[in-house]
Every structure is written in structure tokens, then in C-alpha cells.
């Protein structure tokens, strides 16, 4: 299930916000924020730690450790409850509007007595916000956009949250007597970036033992529907999970049906009709006689429709059926194809683990190469200096000799400034094995300026990868308004790879952008951007997103052997790097 670390992180972060907006001590708020992040990224499950163990987490002192312990024991953090009680529920809802934030929400409440989203919408339409300090027409636009994002996200959850729940439930159902097969289907199996509800499928002769075990799960907060074929629950986190039990001999047809997407299923049913057949969740039947033809495996169902098995990540009706008929489905990238990770951080900047810990974790995951790319100096709060990065390089070179199977690359994550330039002079950049470059500021430039900015970065002979290219945060911040086709063309022309950032909050580029970029001949890097060892496991979501963008291993530079990668990093020989 969701790690207790994440609950604690969210709670401490909320506390930090509440302290700030109720006029509390800014230092205190900052301390809680730091502790929140450290706990969220900590490798060990906090619920297994005692006071001493908790204090070993960076930025966690005695008073925070005590609060966490109390919360783990009682499910309540009294200091949070206390500040919460001082703020009306409606105002807390306002605070959760991604583009508004706690401070402005508090101003709205204190100055205009606005304490709900509908009241806020009214106030905007009546232009009452314009008189407030710090609010302009632009702010209104942003707020409206934020409300839109919040409503569009609805009750969908990030893929990693759904995946953790699904894997836990699949494990429990698989342990029930009589289980012949069990997996998750639906949008999660298709690796969509967010998931509306989790669909679990079991193959068994009798359904009741599964339905009973399902409703009895500790995570079940509410039983929405309890039937023989389908049972739906809501978890304590508010996520709906549907369980369906199908007879073992309908497994393939059931899995195909409940994996979807709806649009893909419409295509496959059309194929069936074309062959004078009928396709349902029970099997593929002769239309006239009603006689069952196949149903046991997905492969058989697809084969009888004249199709190869179609990977779930392609089942979105984006041409996969036609490509299958032509025998031209892509040989999709898989996780084992990834030889290395080209974007990671350590505690030298905002990572939560030391260089040694990150390298160790990467080696344990079986990577063949691993790049450390801490933030460059223009991201001021990270306090990077020439001395620090050069000392890190020396340490990286030393460590490199210690791992037999994994090579280390020393890189950096540069900041693309408003003009498209980056940190450090070219000569200094040549000392890195590779440079990621990302936009971290000045998001409000107009489309033309932003587009130029990205193209200039691509044209820099030292920039190898554009990190999280649109800077979106799923459900929180939309991607930048850029002429993507112009940027994709520039990336392809200059030999600059575009990142597919695997963090579940980003997944940037998205599947649709990947499809577009691919047509320009762009190369990609599927990176974790890990800030802690735990984040290395997010790679699967980046790979899933790449699959949804129809990518093969050939399209992705970090599947290549290191010597080929190094040639690519020289950008047609224009760079001096050859370490
Ligand atoms: P979600 O839950 O919104 O993230 O998306 P899905 O794709 O998981 O949708 P869901 O949970 O409503 O249904 C799971 C799959 O079951 C869906 O992808 C296709 C199949 N399915 C469900 N209801 C229907 C239906 O009425 N017609 C068709 N063709 N397929 C359906
Ligand atoms: Ca679903
Ligand atoms: Ca469902
Ligand atoms: Zn980064």
C-alpha cells in the first residue's frame, strides 16, 4: 500500500504551510518542509523506526521525531489538528488549488471572506479580486486555470499510487485458494499517467472466496457494490478498486476486454464483426451459431482476429490495429533494455542521499552506467560552486573504479536562462561527460520567446539532453506553451536528446508528445531524475510512457552500449568530451 512515509510527508508539509499562513515562524515552517521531504524520500519505512531511528533521517530532530511517533501510534498529529481547526474547511480547499497556494488563499479569506471554490469563481467574475494587493488579471487567469486542472484531475490518482495499491491486492488475491490467475487490467495495465479506478481480474471457478477476501482487506474503507461477478470497494485513501472474477477458460477474453481501452475494444469488436464473429468478455464466438471459438488467452483472441498480440500500452486506438494487420507493430522498449540512467541528484544539491549511496543503489539495480547530474549554480538555492562540482568529479572518478560492472559519468543539470543560455562557460562545460539542461524559472515568457529559448539550448554543443521538456506537474502545473514541433525539429537536427522524465508527478515528455517528437526523428533519454535511491524504481513509469509513445530501444540513447552513447554525446564532434 502507500508507504507511511508518504502520509507523514504530506502531513508535515501541510503543517509547514499552515504555520506560514497563520503567521507563524518562517524558520519553523522551513524546518518542517525539509523534514517532510527527507521522510518522503527515506529508504526505510518510518513505521518500523523508533525515536532513535527517526532521528537518523536527515533534518529530523527530536521534536519532529516525537510528532511522527505520536502520529504513527495514534493516527493523529495534534499540532496539525490544532492549526487546521483555526482555518475553515473551505479555505483549505482553496489552498489546494494548484495555481493559488496557501498564502493567497488566506488573503482571499481574510480580505474578502471567500471560503469556497464557488465563492471564488463568483468573485473572479465580479472582478472583486482586482482590488487586492498582489492580484491582477493574470492571477485571475491562473486561478481559473488551476480550478480547471483540479476539476479535470477529478478523482484520478497518479500511476504510482494506483500501482502500489494494485500490486498489494493482486498479491493478496493470488494467495486465496483456487486462484488460477490474477492481475490488474484497465488503464493501469495500459500504463496511463493517471488512473480513475483500479481493475483487478481473477481467474477462478468460484468467486465468493475472492469477493469476501477483497471486502475484508484492511485497506477497504467502504464496499460500493458486492456481487458474484464484480465487487467494488473504496480504499481508505479514496481510490476505487473493482474486482472481477472470471471462469479460468475465459481468462484471455476477460483480460482483453477489461484492459481496454474502450476505443481499442471498439476496434477489436469491429474486426470480429468483419470476420462474422462476436467478441465479448467471455470469448470470441461465431456470430450465427453462438459457438465459442477461443477465450483462454489474449494471444488466441487476437490471433483469431488476424492480429498479433498487441501490448497493452498500445491499446489506445492510435493506429495499433492497422499496424498489427500490416505486421508493423513496434518492438517496444522494455525496462531491461535500459542500460543506464542519465539524470540523478545527490545531497550535494537537493538530493536526499550521498553520492556513495546513490551509486550503490544504481549498481544494485544492475545498471551498466550511471550519470550524476547535480544542479548547476544558477539555481541559487542549491549553492553549487566550481569547487564543489570539481571535488565531486574527483570522487566520481575514484568510485568509478570500484564497480566492476557499472561505469560512472559525471554530468550536471544546467538551467536554461530566459535567453536560452546555461550556467558556466563552454570550456568548463567541456569537462563534463554529459549535460542535461532544463527550464526551472521564468515560466511566464510568451510562446515565441520560450520556443527560441529551447532551440538555443538545443543548439548549444555542450547540451546533450533537455530535462523534463515541458516542465508540467501532473494535476498541478500545465506544460509550457511552446511550439513543440519547432523544438522537436531542433532537437533532432542538433543531436540533442529529449528526456522522458520517469517521476510519476512529471512523466515529461508525455505519451502524446513522444509520438509527435518521434516523427521528427528525435532521440530520447528515459531518466529517473532520482533525488533518492527509492526514486530509481520510478524507471518503470518512464518506460511505460515511452511504450505508449511507441518507442523502441533504438530510439532511446540510454539503451545503447556506452561507446555508442559517448559518440552521441559528442554531438557530431563539436564537443571536447571524450572521457
Ligand atoms: P480509468 O479507470 O478511467 O483510468 O480507465 P479504464 O480504461 O481503466 O476504464 P474503466 O475502469 O471504466 O474500465 C476498464 C476497462 O473495461 C476499459 O478500459 C474497457 C472495459 N470496459 C468497461 N466498460 C466498458 C464498456 O461499456 N464498453 C467497452 N467496450 N469496454 C468497457
Ligand atoms: Ca479503471
Ligand atoms: Ca473500473
Ligand atoms: Zn533533475
Amino acid at each position: 500500500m502507500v508507504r507511511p512515509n508518504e502520509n507523514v510527508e504530506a502531513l508535515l508539509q501541510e503543517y509547514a504551510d499552515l504555520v506560514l499562513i497563520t503567521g507563524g515562524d518562517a524558520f519553523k515552517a522551513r524546518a518542517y518542509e525539509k523534514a517532510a521531504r527527507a521522510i518522503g524520500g527515506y529508504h526505510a519505512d518510518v513505521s518500523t523506526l523508533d525515536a532513535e531511528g527517526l532521528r537518523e533521517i536527515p533534518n529530523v530532530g527530536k521534536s519532529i521525531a516525537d510528532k511522527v511517533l505520536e502520529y504513527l501510534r495514534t493516527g493523529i498529529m495534534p499540532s496539525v489538528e490544532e492549526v487546521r481547526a483555526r482555518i475553515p474547511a473551505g479555505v483549505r480547499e482553496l489552498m489546494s488549488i494548484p495555481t493559488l497556494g496557501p498564502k493567497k488563499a488566506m488573503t482571499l479569506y481574510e480580505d474578502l471572506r471567500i471560503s469556497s471554490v464557488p465563492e471564488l469563481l463568483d468573485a473572479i467574475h465580479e472582478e472583486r479580486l482586482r482590488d487586492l494587493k498582489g492580484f491582477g488579471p493574470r492571477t485571475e487567469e491562473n486561478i481559473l486555470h488551476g480550478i480547471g486542472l483540479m476539476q479535470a484531475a477529478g478523482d484520478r490518482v497518479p500511476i504510482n499510487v494506483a500501482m502500489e495499491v494494485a500490486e498489494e491486492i493482486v498479491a493478496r488475491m493470488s494467495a486465496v485458494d483456487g486462484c488460477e490467475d490474477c492481475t490488474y487490467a484497465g488503464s493501469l495495465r495500459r500504463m496511463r499517467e493517471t488512473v480513475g479506478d483500479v481493475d483487478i481480474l481473477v481467474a477462478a471457478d468460484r468467486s465468493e472466496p475472492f469477493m469476501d477476501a477483497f471486502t475484508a482487506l484492511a485497506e477497504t474503507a467502504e464496499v460500493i457494490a458486492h456481487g458474484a461477478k464484480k465487487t467494488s470497494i473504496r480504499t481508505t485513501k479514496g481510490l476505487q478498486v473493482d474486482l472481477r472474477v472470471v471462469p479460468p477458460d475465459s481468462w484471455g477474453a476477460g483480460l482483453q476486454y477489461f484492459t481496454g481501452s474502450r476505443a481499442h475494444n471498439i476496434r477489436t469488436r469491429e474486426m470480429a464483426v468483419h470476420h462474422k464473429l462476436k467478441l465479448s468478455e467471455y470469448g470470441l464466438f461465431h456470430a450465427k451459431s453462438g459457438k465459442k471459438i477461443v477465450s483462454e488467452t489474449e494471444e488466441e483472441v487476437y490471433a483469431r482476429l488476424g492480429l498479433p498480440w498487441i501490448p497493452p500500452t498500445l491499446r489506445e486506438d492510435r493506429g495499433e490495429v492497422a499496424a498489427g494487420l500490416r505486421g508493423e507493430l513496434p518492438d517496444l522498449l522494455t525496462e531491461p533494455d535500459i542500460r543506464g540512467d542519465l539524470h540523478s541528484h545527490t545531497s550535494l544539491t537537493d538530493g536526499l542521499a550521498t553520492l556513495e549511496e546513490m551509486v550503490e543503489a544504481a549498481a544494485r539495480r544492475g545498471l551498466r552506467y550511471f550519470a550524476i547530474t547535480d544542479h548547476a549554480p544558477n539555481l541559487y538555492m542549491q549553492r553549487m560552486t566550481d569547487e564543489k562540482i570539481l571535488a565531486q568529479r574527483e570522487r566520481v572518478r575514484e568510485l568509478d573504479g570500484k564497480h566492476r560492472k557499472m561505469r560512472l559519468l559525471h554530468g550536471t543539470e544546467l538551467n536554461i536562462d530566459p535567453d536560452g543560455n546555461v550556467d558556466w562557460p563552454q570550456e568548463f562545460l567541456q569537462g563534463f561527460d554529459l549535460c542535461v539542461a532544463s527550464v526551472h524559472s521564468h515560466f511566464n515568457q510568451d510562446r515565441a520567446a520560450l520556443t527560441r529559448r529551447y532551440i538555443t539550448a538545443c543548439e548549444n554543443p555542450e547540451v546533450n539532453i533537455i530535462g523534463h521538456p515541458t516542465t508540467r506537474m501532473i494535476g498541478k502545473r500545465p506544460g509550457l506553451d511552446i511550439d513543440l514541433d519547432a523544438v522537436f525539429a531542433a532537437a533532432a537536427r542538433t543531436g540533442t536528446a529529449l528526456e522522458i522524465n520517469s517521476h510519476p508527478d512529471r512523466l515529461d515528455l508525455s505519451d502524446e508528445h513522444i509520438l509527435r517528437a518521434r516523427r521528427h526523428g528525435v532521440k530520447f533519454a528515459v531518466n529517473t531524475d532520482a533525488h533518492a535511491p527509492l526514486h530509481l524504481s520510478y524507471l518503470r513509469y518512464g518506460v511505460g510512457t515511452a511504450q505508449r509513445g511507441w518507442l523502441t530501444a533504438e530510439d532511446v540513447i540510454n539503451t545503447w552500449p556506452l561507446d555508442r552513447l559517448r559518440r552521441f554525446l559528442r554531438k557530431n564532434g563539436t564537443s571536447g568530451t571524450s572521457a
Side-chain angles (χ1 to χ4, degrees), residues 277-289:
L277 305 171
K278 188 175 159 295
L279 180 60
S280 76
E281 65 263 52
Y282 302 106
L284 192 58
F285 302 85
H286 277 297
K288 254 202 191 135
S289 68

Side-chain angles (χ1 to χ4, degrees), residues 186-187 197-199:
S187 53
D197 66 14
V198 171
D199 300 278

Side-chain angles (χ1 to χ4, degrees), residues 156 185-188 190 195-199 240 242 244 258 262:
R156 300 187 72 82
S187 53
L188 184 61
R190 304 197 310 279
V195 167
D197 66 14
V198 171
D199 300 278
Q240 182 177 326
D242 296 343
R244 294 179 180 86
F258 291 112
R262 262 165 237 254

Side-chain angles (χ1 to χ4, degrees), residues 343-345 350 373-375 413 436 438 440 468 499 501 506 529-531:
H343 185 171
S344 74
H345 296 271
D350 60 350
T373 57
D374 268 317
H375 289 289
E413 181 177 12
V436 177
S438 314
H440 289 125
H468 44 74
E499 181 171 79
N501 189 295
R506 292 192 182 270
D529 193 3
H531 285 66

Side-chain angles (χ1 to χ4, degrees), residues 447-491:
R447 181 177 166 94
L450 277 171
T451 305
R452 259 196 320 276
R453 184 175 175 188
Y454 273 94
I455 293 174
T456 303
C458 287
E459 286 170 345
N460 188 324
E462 301 308 325
V463 169
N464 303 116
I465 299 170
I466 303 293
H468 44 74
T470 77
T471 78
R472 73 158 174 175
M473 299 294 279
I474 296 174
K476 294 204 181 75
R477 182 168 79 204
L480 294 174
D481 179 21
I482 23 182
D483 179 350
L484 285 171
D485 288 297
V487 173
F488 295 159

Side-chain angles (χ1 to χ4, degrees), residues 376-389:
N378 295 352
L379 204 60
Y380 299 108
M381 58 202 179
Q382 307 300 342
R383 302 178 189 287
M384 179 55 83
T385 63
D386 296 12
E387 294 70 38
K388 281 201 215 171
I389 198 99

